[in-house]
Amino acid sequence: RGSRAVTSRPGFSVLMDIFGGFLFGGGLIVLFLIIRLLVVIRQGAECRPGAKGAVSVLVVAGSGGHTTEILRLMESLSQSYIPRHYVMADTDQMSEDKIRSLEASIQDSTAGQKFTIHRIPRSREVRQSWSSSLLTTLYSLIYSVPLVFKLRPDLYGQQRKALFTGYHRT
């Protein structure tokens, strides 16, 4: 009856390797985020809006109430946020009217500020099927991606919950 041989479970070993890989990858991500946070905190005083010149803003306006929300945010921005570039669907006249009204009120109070309006094809019409929206979205991307590279904004705003995302100009 002697000693029993310990059998290894190859499936368990593979799972442990995968788990270890996830832990290692997750640890690297956390380390990267901590280092990035320290760099941002250290350089935070240098990255104030307008400290290195005007801050270019790209705003993606949609139809409906979300455009009003983001325009309220735009109205509250200081004079450091110029030029302002608005992007909207080529069929959205209401948003253009709201933008022109806002900019007219800003122009009255502060001279020299400028804005541009850019139109792109709408990626999806109301009641358009999801399967056909894939093609129209790709068509819209053909116009929008080169526009972003041409304008090179420092700050990006979109109408979903009035979100702003910035990136540092080098």
Side-chain angles (χ1 to χ4, degrees):
R1 299 207 169 196
S3 66
R4 291 176 136 184
V6 177
T7 59
S8 67
R9 300 183 307 199
F12 182 74
S13 175
V14 170
L15 285 175
M16 288 307 294
D17 288 344
I18 291 172
F19 181 70
F22 278 122
L23 277 179
F24 180 73
L28 284 178
I29 290 171
V30 168
L31 179 64
F32 171 76
L33 291 174
I34 289 171
I35 291 170
R36 177 66 181 142
L37 179 64
L38 292 174
V39 168
V40 168
I41 289 172
R42 209 169 143 219
Q43 294 179 347
E46 301 170 12
C47 297
R48 292 209 170 103
K52 293 184 178 181
V55 178
S56 174
V57 181
L58 174 68
V59 177
V60 179
S63 54
H66 295 296
T67 298
T68 304
E69 286 179 33
I70 200 147
L71 290 180
R72 283 187 189 138
L73 283 173
M74 293 301 296
E75 189 174 26
S76 68
L77 292 180
S78 73
Q79 295 177 9
S80 299
Y81 294 90
I82 55 173
R84 289 177 299 280
H85 304 285
Y86 297 94
V87 178
M88 68 192 68
D90 52 5
T91 58
D92 188 4
Q93 186 59 43
M94 187 185 319
S95 290
E96 181 176 352
D97 295 340
K98 290 178 182 179
I99 289 167
R100 290 195 184 280
S101 174
L102 168 72
E103 289 295 332
S105 70
I106 292 173
Q107 292 287 340
D108 290 343
S109 61
T110 57
Q113 291 190 353
K114 66 178 198 169
F115 73 100
T116 58
I117 293 177
H118 305 274
R119 294 189 167 274
I120 60 171
R122 186 179 292 276
S123 66
R124 184 173 181 270
E125 294 289 343
V126 176
R127 296 190 195 117
Q128 180 180 353
S129 71
W130 288 101
S131 58
S132 68
S133 69
L134 176 64
L135 292 175
T136 55
T137 299
L138 289 174
Y139 180 65
S140 180
L141 278 172
I142 290 171
Y143 285 88
S144 59
V145 170
L147 182 62
V148 170
F149 282 104
K150 176 183 156 195
L151 298 174
R152 299 183 54 87
D154 300 310
L155 188 66
Y156 163 78
Q158 62 140 356
Q159 83 274 11
R160 299 288 178 214
K161 305 283 184 185
L163 169 74
F164 277 95
T165 306
Y167 48 92
H168 184 63
R169 182 184 341 176
T170 55

